[in-house]
Amino acid sequence: MPEKFGENEKNCKLFIGGLNFETTEDNLRNHFGKWGDVVDCVIMKDSTTHKSKGFGFVTFKDPVSLDMTQKERPHTIDGKVVDTKRAMPRDEAQENKVTVNKMFVGGLDESTSEEQVREVFCAYGEVEKIEMIKDRTTGKPKRFCFVTFDDHDCVDKCVIQKHFMLNGKNVEVKKAVSKNELNQNMRGGRGGMMGARGGGMRGAYSGGPYAGQGWNYGGHQGYGDSYGASGYQGYGDSYDGYGHFGTAYGKGSGGGPTRGRGGGMYTQRGMGPYGGGYGGGAN
């Protein structure tokens, strides 16, 4: 039985997509074991044919092993370059399944400076850009900003941690996902969901290069359930400088990020299968 370590598992679990269909769990374990102790390894298989679906998960004992593994990308296993990403917990919002280099930081104190933001997040990777948002009329700072890294893995790591202390405030981060990126990801998720229904399983992996293939893995260790959305109530009123994001971020009745009158950079979402966003969006 794999070792259980509760909350720490989210920092140790790696998704591997695009596997050679001949790759075995032993091959997977041997490859990633170079970077640390592997306590769980699984390749998802068709419930009828028992053949590989081309993706799986590896869980390390130590989060440092996952960090080292991601620094060594890309990985080639059995002659095929695979796609590795940090596995997002099942309760993450849909936009947090999309692969992007940019993230939203909400709940800032109004006195927060760009230097303070950089100081906190530079520990997670190379920060390329910080956008501190001000009210166009008053010039006063708003309580959110955007941080762009040079690598999507840095964003993934921050989003998994979710909460940070910044200038005396507990702030929260989410991925900054455009409407087009989210819609593209949702289309892939619907394709995967159809496959999941056909296979009699709840969850679905799809999106990006694997969109519509119906790779589903049900409730494997809690990954594969449906999820809802949590909003950013009170994180600022309007911002139409980033794409077409308009008014009242996070004030929709559904609780999720909503479209503003500037064209709707962020869209509200409902329920859906876990995993719709792996590989979607910009790399």
Side-chain angles (χ1 to χ4, degrees):
M1 294 293 290
E3 180 179 339
K4 301 295 183 182
F5 34 69
E7 181 70 11
N8 196 43
E9 181 178 5
K10 67 182 183 181
N11 299 310
C12 300
K13 192 159 191 168
L14 182 71
F15 164 86
I16 307 99
L19 287 171
N20 185 319
F21 290 113
E22 302 303 318
T23 294
T24 65
E25 290 179 357
D26 284 342
N27 290 1
L28 206 60
R29 183 184 294 271
N30 289 338
H31 177 85
F32 290 106
K34 302 170 189 174
W35 292 278
D37 292 339
V38 173
V39 298
D40 191 26
C41 177
V42 61
I43 292 177
M44 307 315 297
K45 298 178 180 179
D46 185 275
S47 59
T48 303
T49 66
H50 303 293
K51 291 183 178 180
S52 168
K53 292 187 174 183
F55 72 102
F57 296 89
V58 165
T59 305
F60 292 100
K61 183 177 182 179
D62 190 335
V64 173
S65 300
L66 195 156
D67 292 342
M68 292 191 297
T69 297
Q70 287 297 80
K71 287 180 181 178
E72 295 297 323
R73 289 168 292 158
H75 293 271
T76 301
I77 304 175
D78 293 333
K80 191 169 182 182
V81 178
V82 299
D83 178 26
T84 62
K85 290 183 173 67
R86 296 172 191 267
M88 291 288 168
R90 64 178 180 178
D91 58 349
E92 282 297 333
Q94 178 66 33
E95 63 265 25
N96 280 343
K97 310 293 172 52
V98 183
T99 302
V100 293
N101 288 27
K102 190 170 189 173
M103 71 181 186
F104 167 91
V105 184
L108 297 176
D109 185 89
E110 291 182 354
S111 67
T112 301
S113 67
E114 179 177 330
E115 289 71 26
Q116 289 172 314
V117 175
R118 186 178 300 275
E119 183 179 1
V120 168
F121 293 111
C122 70
Y124 295 84
E126 184 68 28
V127 175
E128 290 188 337
K129 185 179 181 181
I130 295 174
E131 298 168 75
M132 305 298 294
I133 312 306
K134 293 185 178 181
D135 187 282
R136 291 188 301 175
T137 303
T138 66
K140 292 183 178 180
K142 295 192 175 181
R143 297 184 59 203
F144 61 93
C145 70
F146 293 93
V147 176
T148 301
F149 289 96
D150 69 342
D151 184 355
H152 66 81
D153 185 62
C154 305
V155 176
D156 290 347
K157 189 173 183 179
C158 289
V159 166
I160 288 173
Q161 180 169 329
K162 189 171 289 187
H163 296 281
F164 298 83
M165 286 303 298
L166 204 170
N167 190 24
K169 297 281 287 186
N170 182 17
V171 303
E172 185 175 354
V173 303
K174 277 186 177 286
K175 294 185 180 181
V177 181
S178 71
K179 180 182 178 183
N180 287 340
E181 287 167 336
L182 186 58
N183 286 344
Q184 181 182 37
N185 193 64
M186 293 290 281
R187 286 196 294 271
R190 284 194 292 271
M193 194 173 188
M194 293 298 290
R197 288 172 177 167
M201 300 175 73
R202 292 182 298 170
Y205 169 89
S206 57
Y210 316 113
Q213 295 191 32
W215 289 357
N216 48 73
Y217 50 92
H220 172 65
Q221 292 196 356
Y223 288 81
D225 252 22
S226 297
Y227 59 83
S230 59
Y232 285 120
Q233 299 295 336
Y235 278 9
D237 9 65
S238 64
Y239 175 53
D240 50 18
Y242 174 60
H244 302 291
F245 177 54
T247 185
Y249 186 99
K251 293 186 178 179
S253 59
T258 61
R259 285 193 298 180
R261 53 177 181 267
M265 197 59 178
Y266 293 88
T267 55
Q268 189 169 322
R269 54 186 187 278
M271 305 292 282
Y274 165 81
Y278 280 122
N283 286 307

